[in-house]
Amino acid sequence: CSESDLGPISLNWFEELSAEAPP
Amino acid sequence: AEQLSLAPLDGPAQESLQLVSELKDLSSSCAVDVSTVWWEAAGSRELCVVTACESSVTLWKPLVPDRWEKVQIWQLGEIPVIQIVPLPDACNVVCIALGDLEIAEIRLLLYSSEHDSFKQSLLKTGTIKAVLGLKERRLVSSCRTVQEQQVEITSLSETGGSKDRQTLLPPEETVLAFAEVEGMGEALVGTTAANSVVVWNLKTGQLLRKMPVGYSYPASICHRAYADSGLLFVVLSHPHAKESEARGNPAFCVIAFNPRTARSRGVMFSSLPHGHAGRQVPGASGCVPLYLEGDVRDTLATAVLTSGAIAVWDLLLGHCTALLPPGSPGTWALARWATAGAWLLAGRRDGTVCLYQY
């Protein structure tokens, strides 16, 4: 799997989405 | 121990399944589920087997060599048992789901040291669409009413009640299955009736992402998920998938999701072994079930096929590594992994449960 298939990958996706999602 | 000769399989690896022992409950001929549970008594903690039929649940303790003793039988009420819900690291408690077509009750079966007796307690009632046992004596369930859906984590007390309840933000669609995420203890995934994968933060209850699985993988059920290198790898099965010439007969697949972009790509497809595809139903143009039900532990998957055989797949290799033919005295009805150790629990229609070492 590569970024060309799946878009930009972030190792900290869980923390980032938790900060962005409604509480 | 008897060494089974396995049918020839496609692919290079052929692991073996070795019959370790057989449990036969002469008073029962209607096994609906089988599982394992840690049970501690007199200072000794052992991995015990639990078998369920519609009206009772039996706890079996290992004896040496390869023999099993019934420790306890819990008699249930009028609502039939339909599922044992394994609690991965719990001890001295068995969780069961009861209902007809859908789960109507969740009960705990346990030993009370205070009263020196076995007992049962009612944990939850409702129209329960999905339930999963989590680590640290917790349970997650999705419960549907006409107006709304409730997704809830229940922490179990030592005495068989609920110690704490936490609500997770529900998606609009009904959640049909849950899976814990290995490598990311605070994450939980689910699959929905609209064929999406949803991700929650277990600590905060936030719904972080809803990601479409895609039309290529209809009616997906999640079994396991692994977080690695910024991606979420989800093991899905398709119990009612149609045969596809392009993909063969997929029973399980691993889909890589990028939670940041919600984009996904299939990375591994575990096909049914040659000659064990769905039954040919005259006049049916599709939607022939390829297998009845399955189970995934770590990177191993197993399922009962419509041919009556049990297949085992290594999800990393992407192919079938062992096969138990239907044989006599009856075809297989259940296939489960033990919650610890490399045991396959295989249930026959006549109620016999066989333990195989993989």
Side-chain angles (χ1 to χ4, degrees):
Chain A
C1 293
S2 65
E3 295 210 337
S4 60
D5 295 324
L6 300 172
I9 293 169
S10 169
L11 294 176
N12 301 316
W13 63 268
F14 188 77
E15 293 75 17
E16 291 166 8
L17 293 180
S18 296
E20 294 165 15
Chain B
E2 175 194 350
Q3 178 71 46
L4 279 182
S5 58
L6 299 170
L9 300 172
D10 297 332
Q14 287 196 24
E15 300 290 340
S16 68
L17 285 168
Q18 193 171 28
L19 182 63
V20 175
S21 53
E22 203 171 281
L23 285 73
K24 175 69 184 138
D25 190 350
L26 294 172
S27 61
S28 162
S29 60
C30 56
V32 295
D33 206 353
V34 59
S35 187
T36 54
V37 62
W38 288 106
W39 207 270
E40 189 171 336
S44 167
R45 188 176 145 136
E46 294 170 307
L47 192 63
C48 294
V49 170
V50 184
T51 55
C53 68
E54 284 194 352
S55 59
S56 66
V57 173
T58 305
L59 178 69
W60 301 77
K61 179 187 166 185
L63 296 176
V64 178
D66 303 333
R67 293 188 61 189
W68 294 79
E69 175 192 43
K70 278 186 208 174
V71 177
Q72 170 65 11
I73 302 172
W74 287 273
Q75 296 293 341
L76 283 306
E78 289 180 3
I79 305 175
V81 179
I82 53 176
Q83 188 190 339
I84 299 169
V85 183
L87 296 164
D89 54 5
C91 188
N92 289 22
V93 62
V94 176
C95 182
I96 54 167
L98 305 96
D100 289 306
L101 289 175
E102 290 184 309
I103 300 170
E105 279 187 3
I106 295 173
R107 284 179 178 268
L108 295 180
L109 311 175
L110 64 166
Y111 175 75
S112 165
S113 53
E114 190 184 346
H115 300 101
D116 189 26
S117 64
F118 290 90
K119 65 171 198 171
Q120 55 179 287
S121 67
L122 181 62
L123 191 70
K124 196 175 178 70
T125 58
T127 306
I128 298 162
K129 299 288 185 178
V131 59
L132 177 75
L134 305 176
K135 291 177 185 128
E136 297 168 12
R137 290 175 68 91
R138 293 173 302 164
L139 205 68
V140 62
S141 59
S142 63
C143 204
R144 187 96 231 186
T145 64
V146 176
Q147 292 89 13
E148 60 173 13
Q149 176 176 219
Q150 187 188 46
V151 181
E152 190 181 69
I153 305 276
T154 309
S155 297
L156 310 180
S157 72
E158 293 292 329
T159 54
S162 61
K163 194 166 62 179
D164 185 37
R165 290 180 191 268
Q166 182 205 352
T167 303
L168 304 183
L169 193 64
E172 288 169 13
E173 308 108 43
T174 303
V175 178
L176 299 178
F178 296 101
E180 279 193 287
V181 182
E182 288 182 29
M184 194 165 275
E186 290 176 7
L188 177 75
V189 302
T191 37
T192 73
N195 212 26
S196 291
V197 166
V198 287
V199 186
W200 288 277
N201 181 328
L202 274 177
K203 207 166 188 178
T204 62
Q206 290 167 293
L207 180 63
L208 299 182
R209 211 29 135 205
K210 190 170 85 177
M211 305 179 284
V213 175
Y215 292 108
S216 307
Y217 321 111
S220 304
I221 296 292
C222 61
H223 292 266
R224 293 276 167 172
Y226 317 89
D228 192 21
S229 306
L231 297 174
L232 193 57
F233 296 88
V234 184
V235 180
L236 300 172
S237 72
H238 315 286
H240 306 292
K242 294 176 188 174
E243 239 177 275
S244 150
E245 283 184 17
R247 299 237 183 258
N249 304 313
F252 294 91
C253 63
V254 181
I255 309 291
F257 290 89
N258 181 352
R260 275 274 31 147
T261 61
R263 285 161 69 176
S264 64
R265 187 182 174 187
V267 292
M268 193 60 82
F269 300 89
S270 297
S271 295
L272 292 172
H274 186 67
H276 286 269
R279 270 194 296 257
Q280 295 301 309
V281 179
S285 58
C287 217
V288 178
L290 295 174
Y291 77 96
L292 301 175
E293 51 121 51
D295 190 22
V296 178
R297 192 178 70 87
D298 298 332
T299 56
L300 292 175
T302 183
V304 179
L305 311 179
T306 43
S307 65
I310 288 178
V312 175
W313 293 266
D314 186 319
L315 295 173
L316 295 180
L317 296 173
H319 62 240
C320 180
T321 55
L323 192 72
L324 286 176
S328 59
T331 58
W332 298 110
L334 296 165
R336 299 276 184 271
W337 295 111
T339 49
W343 285 358
L344 175 72
L345 308 165
R348 290 193 188 276
R349 293 209 181 279
D350 66 358
T352 309
V353 172
C354 297
L355 270 68
Y356 289 91
Q357 182 82 38
Y358 178 72

